[in-house]
Every structure is written in structure tokens, then in C-alpha cells.
Amino acid sequence: MIVKDKEFVEYISASEISSRIAELGTSINSDYKDKRPLFIAILNGSFMFAADLLKEVAIPCEISFVKVASYEEMESTGNVKQLIGLNETIFNKDVIIIEDIVDTGRTITKILEEFISLGASSVEVITLLQKPASNDLGDKIKYIGFSIPEKFVLGYGLDYDGLGRNLKDIYQLKD
């Protein structure tokens, strides 16, 4: 598949994604059975993952959204900018951050620091994809859908310069 000027090949199918999200939902239902978590989805990339994940969550919960940016085309800028903030208090709440991909770990580290400083009771992270560069985050990422290699991916909410978010499968840049 060609997107813009790059060739991509299917990497994770929609059925594999769906199956893994069901497993993650089961884990969250168990871990938070006596709590009412606030899910905070990081836009734009996590919108599909967040929607499908919440369909698997059977416990009382809330969801909100924030938008941050750290990418231009295919490269992380290393500069995290919060574009749209949180509209409700997270003080004394159990927060689960929904991320599409944890690549370098810079974005999620900044978000974790900010949410902890706002007085959340707990802050956990669920990510659909994790790359090896972020492995040094240790236990900061509680739920991981798939560990993937250091290759650029798109689809299922992830984009290449704004394109490809609508694809139901995840594609990897062809060698």
C-alpha cells in the first residue's frame, strides 16, 4: 500500500487488534472492579483504540480527551506541546491514560508528570503499541497491546502526515 510517498505492508490485522483489546479490557475490568476509573485518551492517534477499548470495559467509568503533539511527518520532534487541555478535575481519581503508541516515551512521561501533579489517586497507562526505545519507562506502562520494532507504523488511528488514520489494520513501513 502506498501512502503519500512511502510503501507500507500489513503488520497487525484488525482481528488481532480486536482480540488483544478484548484481553486488555478483561484485565482492566478485573484490576478496577471496585473503582471508577477516568480514562483520558490522547488525541488524535488513540481515538480508534479508545473507542474499541471502552466497548470492552464493563465497569463504571468516565472518559475525557487531551490533545498533544510531538511528531512532524515521520519523526518525533522531541518537543511535546499540549494543544487542548483537560476540562475536568482529576484530583483523587484513578486515571488510565489511553495512548496509541509509546515511541520514545517523552510524551507519556510529560503527561504522567502533569497528571500526578494534579493530584490523581493513581495514574496508569494503556498503550496499543510500544517500541523498544521506551522500554526504560519500567512499570509506568501497565497495559501493552503489542510490543513492536523500531519501524514506522500507520493505520488504526496512527497517521503519516495526516493520512492513514482510517485504516482498520496497522501497517509497517516496507524495508
Side-chain angles (χ1 to χ4, degrees):
M1 161 185 301
I2 303 293
V3 176
K4 203 171 173 183
D5 57 346
K6 305 282 184 214
E7 187 173 353
F8 293 85
V9 294
E10 186 178 312
Y11 179 60
I12 304 172
S13 70
S15 63
E16 290 173 285
I17 295 167
S18 180
S19 176
R20 184 65 182 126
I21 290 172
E23 293 169 1
L24 292 167
T26 298
S27 294
I28 289 169
N29 289 332
S30 174
D31 293 348
Y32 287 83
K33 67 179 178 231
D34 297 322
K35 299 179 180 181
R36 192 175 112 195
L38 168 62
F39 289 90
I40 300 177
I42 308 300
L43 297 175
N44 287 339
S46 74
F47 77 99
M48 288 179 123
F49 178 40
D52 288 344
L53 177 65
L54 268 283
K55 292 174 193 172
E56 301 295 335
V57 174
I59 57 171
C61 64
E62 301 172 70
I63 187 165
S64 189
F65 303 87
V66 295
K67 184 172 181 177
V68 296
S70 64
Y71 266 77
E72 288 178 10
E73 293 189 348
M74 295 176 63
E75 299 293 325
S76 175
T77 64
N79 184 17
V80 178
K81 306 173 229 170
Q82 183 164 350
L83 304 176
I84 301 172
L86 196 58
N87 294 327
E88 59 271 297
T89 182
I90 63 170
F91 183 77
N92 247 3
K93 292 191 178 181
D94 295 301
V95 175
I96 302 174
I97 299 168
I98 303 173
E99 186 62 288
D100 57 347
I101 186 168
V102 178
D103 193 340
T104 64
R106 289 185 200 113
T107 301
I108 203 65
T109 298
K110 180 168 175 45
I111 293 168
L112 279 166
E113 289 169 359
E114 186 169 335
F115 288 176
I116 290 166
S117 76
L118 293 173
S121 291
S122 67
V123 183
E124 302 287 358
V125 177
I126 181 168
T127 184
L128 181 62
L129 304 172
Q130 181 187 25
K131 289 187 177 179
S134 67
N135 285 346
D136 61 349
L137 292 176
D139 62 354
K140 290 182 181 176
I141 304 173
K142 185 167 185 176
Y143 307 98
I144 299 169
F146 301 93
S147 294
I148 65 168
E150 293 288 344
K151 286 192 173 183
F152 190 82
V153 290
L154 71 88
Y156 195 73
L158 296 110
D159 73 305
Y160 169 40
D161 208 17
L163 300 172
R165 289 191 195 277
N166 60 311
L167 301 170
K168 65 182 179 176
D169 304 300
I170 294 176
Y171 293 81
Q172 188 177 70
L173 187 62
K174 186 175 179 180
D175 290 326

